[in-house]
Amino acid sequence: QVQLVESGGGLVQPGGSLRLSCVASGFTVDYYAITWFRQAPGKEREVFACISSTEGRTYSTDAVKGRFTLSRDNTKSTVYLQMRSLKPEDTAVYYCASGVGFYYCANYTTRPYDFWGPGTQVAVSP
């Protein structure tokens, strides 16, 4: 059974940092790109970053560029999202996702996804 599970969320002050994890099971994550989304209260889900499969190339939108970085440890079937300089507007539920045939982050902002985690809550507040 394919599963993605996020963890590492919590409450942090503005300017602080958090590292989220996305653990995959039921498939060989080495061969899959992983994309991160977030959904803030009352807003639509927003895609913001992707890491490709074996090469680990990363892509991100302007909303997080320079503050969020992606990495992966395929030996642990885990993708990490390191978030720095957090702002109140980063408050959201964060999700990781992937899909069949998704290797290189091609069209990651628009393509459909087959596998989703349940999400982890991040709150940025004084």
PDB file of all heavy atoms in Angstrom, residues 28-42:
ATOM      1  N   THR A  28       9.066   2.347  -4.098  1.00  0.00           N
ATOM      2  CA  THR A  28      10.489   2.698  -4.067  1.00  0.00           C
ATOM      3  C   THR A  28      10.619   4.190  -4.335  1.00  0.00           C
ATOM      4  O   THR A  28      10.630   4.621  -5.491  1.00  0.00           O
ATOM      5  CB  THR A  28      11.273   1.889  -5.101  1.00  0.00           C
ATOM      6  OG1 THR A  28      11.025   0.490  -4.882  1.00  0.00           O
ATOM      7  CG2 THR A  28      12.766   2.169  -4.970  1.00  0.00           C
ATOM      8  N   VAL A  29      10.728   4.948  -3.261  1.00  0.00           N
ATOM      9  CA  VAL A  29      10.700   6.395  -3.387  1.00  0.00           C
ATOM     10  C   VAL A  29      11.888   6.925  -4.184  1.00  0.00           C
ATOM     11  O   VAL A  29      11.828   8.022  -4.738  1.00  0.00           O
ATOM     12  CB  VAL A  29      10.637   7.060  -2.000  1.00  0.00           C
ATOM     13  CG1 VAL A  29      11.976   6.923  -1.285  1.00  0.00           C
ATOM     14  CG2 VAL A  29      10.183   8.500  -2.109  1.00  0.00           C
ATOM     15  N   ASP A  30      12.964   6.143  -4.282  1.00  0.00           N
ATOM     16  CA  ASP A  30      14.136   6.568  -5.046  1.00  0.00           C
ATOM     17  C   ASP A  30      13.772   7.017  -6.452  1.00  0.00           C
ATOM     18  O   ASP A  30      14.428   7.878  -7.024  1.00  0.00           O
ATOM     19  CB  ASP A  30      15.120   5.400  -5.201  1.00  0.00           C
ATOM     20  CG  ASP A  30      15.439   4.687  -3.909  1.00  0.00           C
ATOM     21  OD1 ASP A  30      14.535   4.558  -3.058  1.00  0.00           O
ATOM     22  OD2 ASP A  30      16.587   4.249  -3.761  1.00  0.00           O
ATOM     23  N   TYR A  31      12.748   6.422  -7.033  1.00  0.00           N
ATOM     24  CA  TYR A  31      12.402   6.668  -8.427  1.00  0.00           C
ATOM     25  C   TYR A  31      11.287   7.677  -8.609  1.00  0.00           C
ATOM     26  O   TYR A  31      10.742   7.816  -9.706  1.00  0.00           O
ATOM     27  CB  TYR A  31      12.032   5.354  -9.107  1.00  0.00           C
ATOM     28  CG  TYR A  31      13.108   4.307  -8.998  1.00  0.00           C
ATOM     29  CD1 TYR A  31      12.843   3.053  -8.466  1.00  0.00           C
ATOM     30  CD2 TYR A  31      14.409   4.576  -9.404  1.00  0.00           C
ATOM     31  CE1 TYR A  31      13.831   2.096  -8.353  1.00  0.00           C
ATOM     32  CE2 TYR A  31      15.412   3.628  -9.286  1.00  0.00           C
ATOM     33  CZ  TYR A  31      15.111   2.386  -8.764  1.00  0.00           C
ATOM     34  OH  TYR A  31      16.100   1.440  -8.649  1.00  0.00           O
ATOM     35  N   TYR A  32      10.947   8.383  -7.544  1.00  0.00           N
ATOM     36  CA  TYR A  32       9.829   9.308  -7.621  1.00  0.00           C
ATOM     37  C   TYR A  32      10.232  10.690  -7.148  1.00  0.00           C
ATOM     38  O   TYR A  32      10.913  10.851  -6.127  1.00  0.00           O
ATOM     39  CB  TYR A  32       8.657   8.815  -6.778  1.00  0.00           C
ATOM     40  CG  TYR A  32       7.979   7.606  -7.371  1.00  0.00           C
ATOM     41  CD1 TYR A  32       8.474   6.340  -7.149  1.00  0.00           C
ATOM     42  CD2 TYR A  32       6.858   7.764  -8.180  1.00  0.00           C
ATOM     43  CE1 TYR A  32       7.867   5.231  -7.714  1.00  0.00           C
ATOM     44  CE2 TYR A  32       6.238   6.663  -8.737  1.00  0.00           C
ATOM     45  CZ  TYR A  32       6.747   5.400  -8.504  1.00  0.00           C
ATOM     46  OH  TYR A  32       6.143   4.315  -9.073  1.00  0.00           O
ATOM     47  N   ALA A  33       9.776  11.689  -7.882  1.00  0.00           N
ATOM     48  CA  ALA A  33       9.873  13.053  -7.386  1.00  0.00           C
ATOM     49  C   ALA A  33       8.812  13.263  -6.316  1.00  0.00           C
ATOM     50  O   ALA A  33       7.774  12.591  -6.316  1.00  0.00           O
ATOM     51  CB  ALA A  33       9.674  14.042  -8.532  1.00  0.00           C
ATOM     52  N   ILE A  34       9.086  14.177  -5.409  1.00  0.00           N
ATOM     53  CA  ILE A  34       8.157  14.510  -4.340  1.00  0.00           C
ATOM     54  C   ILE A  34       7.887  16.014  -4.382  1.00  0.00           C
ATOM     55  O   ILE A  34       8.829  16.819  -4.464  1.00  0.00           O
ATOM     56  CB  ILE A  34       8.715  14.135  -2.958  1.00  0.00           C
ATOM     57  CG1 ILE A  34       8.992  12.630  -2.869  1.00  0.00           C
ATOM     58  CG2 ILE A  34       7.752  14.580  -1.851  1.00  0.00           C
ATOM     59  CD1 ILE A  34       7.762  11.759  -2.868  1.00  0.00           C
ATOM     60  N   THR A  35       6.639  16.353  -4.313  1.00  0.00           N
ATOM     61  CA  THR A  35       6.216  17.759  -4.329  1.00  0.00           C
ATOM     62  C   THR A  35       5.581  18.124  -2.997  1.00  0.00           C
ATOM     63  O   THR A  35       4.917  17.293  -2.372  1.00  0.00           O
ATOM     64  CB  THR A  35       5.217  17.993  -5.469  1.00  0.00           C
ATOM     65  OG1 THR A  35       5.880  17.745  -6.720  1.00  0.00           O
ATOM     66  CG2 THR A  35       4.687  19.415  -5.470  1.00  0.00           C
ATOM     67  N   TRP A  36       5.809  19.365  -2.593  1.00  0.00           N
ATOM     68  CA  TRP A  36       5.210  19.882  -1.359  1.00  0.00           C
ATOM     69  C   TRP A  36       4.142  20.921  -1.689  1.00  0.00           C
ATOM     70  O   TRP A  36       4.335  21.777  -2.571  1.00  0.00           O
ATOM     71  CB  TRP A  36       6.264  20.515  -0.463  1.00  0.00           C
ATOM     72  CG  TRP A  36       7.122  19.521   0.238  1.00  0.00           C
ATOM     73  CD1 TRP A  36       8.277  18.965  -0.218  1.00  0.00           C
ATOM     74  CD2 TRP A  36       6.892  18.943   1.531  1.00  0.00           C
ATOM     75  NE1 TRP A  36       8.774  18.090   0.713  1.00  0.00           N
ATOM     76  CE2 TRP A  36       7.956  18.055   1.791  1.00  0.00           C
ATOM     77  CE3 TRP A  36       5.902  19.095   2.501  1.00  0.00           C
ATOM     78  CZ2 TRP A  36       8.056  17.317   2.982  1.00  0.00           C
ATOM     79  CZ3 TRP A  36       6.002  18.373   3.666  1.00  0.00           C
ATOM     80  CH2 TRP A  36       7.066  17.503   3.904  1.00  0.00           C
ATOM     81  N   PHE A  37       3.056  20.808  -0.946  1.00  0.00           N
ATOM     82  CA  PHE A  37       1.948  21.752  -1.020  1.00  0.00           C
ATOM     83  C   PHE A  37       1.687  22.291   0.377  1.00  0.00           C
ATOM     84  O   PHE A  37       2.105  21.703   1.372  1.00  0.00           O
ATOM     85  CB  PHE A  37       0.674  21.036  -1.482  1.00  0.00           C
ATOM     86  CG  PHE A  37       0.694  20.509  -2.873  1.00  0.00           C
ATOM     87  CD1 PHE A  37       1.372  19.334  -3.184  1.00  0.00           C
ATOM     88  CD2 PHE A  37       0.013  21.159  -3.891  1.00  0.00           C
ATOM     89  CE1 PHE A  37       1.376  18.830  -4.476  1.00  0.00           C
ATOM     90  CE2 PHE A  37       0.004  20.661  -5.183  1.00  0.00           C
ATOM     91  CZ  PHE A  37       0.688  19.492  -5.468  1.00  0.00           C
ATOM     92  N   ARG A  38       0.927  23.339   0.437  1.00  0.00           N
ATOM     93  CA  ARG A  38       0.421  23.816   1.711  1.00  0.00           C
ATOM     94  C   ARG A  38      -0.954  24.445   1.507  1.00  0.00           C
ATOM     95  O   ARG A  38      -1.267  24.901   0.409  1.00  0.00           O
ATOM     96  CB  ARG A  38       1.380  24.806   2.359  1.00  0.00           C
ATOM     97  CG  ARG A  38       1.580  26.098   1.586  1.00  0.00           C
ATOM     98  CD  ARG A  38       2.654  26.940   2.254  1.00  0.00           C
ATOM     99  NE  ARG A  38       2.882  28.197   1.540  1.00  0.00           N
ATOM    100  CZ  ARG A  38       3.792  29.083   1.888  1.00  0.00           C
ATOM    101  NH1 ARG A  38       4.569  28.880   2.946  1.00  0.00           N
ATOM    102  NH2 ARG A  38       3.934  30.199   1.192  1.00  0.00           N
ATOM    103  N   GLN A  39      -1.724  24.427   2.566  1.00  0.00           N
ATOM    104  CA  GLN A  39      -3.035  25.045   2.508  1.00  0.00           C
ATOM    105  C   GLN A  39      -3.258  25.834   3.783  1.00  0.00           C
ATOM    106  O   GLN A  39      -3.315  25.258   4.882  1.00  0.00           O
ATOM    107  CB  GLN A  39      -4.144  24.007   2.315  1.00  0.00           C
ATOM    108  CG  GLN A  39      -5.501  24.635   2.086  1.00  0.00           C
ATOM    109  CD  GLN A  39      -6.504  23.653   1.530  1.00  0.00           C
ATOM    110  OE1 GLN A  39      -6.347  22.439   1.617  1.00  0.00           O
ATOM    111  NE2 GLN A  39      -7.567  24.177   0.927  1.00  0.00           N
ATOM    112  N   ALA A  40      -3.358  27.132   3.607  1.00  0.00           N
ATOM    113  CA  ALA A  40      -3.614  28.025   4.734  1.00  0.00           C
ATOM    114  C   ALA A  40      -5.111  28.088   4.991  1.00  0.00           C
ATOM    115  O   ALA A  40      -5.919  27.831   4.091  1.00  0.00           O
ATOM    116  CB  ALA A  40      -3.063  29.415   4.423  1.00  0.00           C
ATOM    117  N   PRO A  41      -5.499  28.451   6.213  1.00  0.00           N
ATOM    118  CA  PRO A  41      -6.922  28.537   6.541  1.00  0.00           C
ATOM    119  C   PRO A  41      -7.658  29.468   5.584  1.00  0.00           C
ATOM    120  O   PRO A  41      -7.233  30.596   5.347  1.00  0.00           O
ATOM    121  CB  PRO A  41      -6.909  29.110   7.965  1.00  0.00           C
ATOM    122  CG  PRO A  41      -5.581  28.737   8.513  1.00  0.00           C
ATOM    123  CD  PRO A  41      -4.637  28.762   7.349  1.00  0.00           C
ATOM    124  N   GLY A  42      -8.747  28.972   5.019  1.00  0.00           N
ATOM    125  CA  GLY A  42      -9.563  29.786   4.147  1.00  0.00           C
ATOM    126  C   GLY A  42      -8.992  30.034   2.771  1.00  0.00           C
ATOM    127  O   GLY A  42      -9.546  30.821   1.995  1.00  0.00           O
TER     128      GLY A  42
END
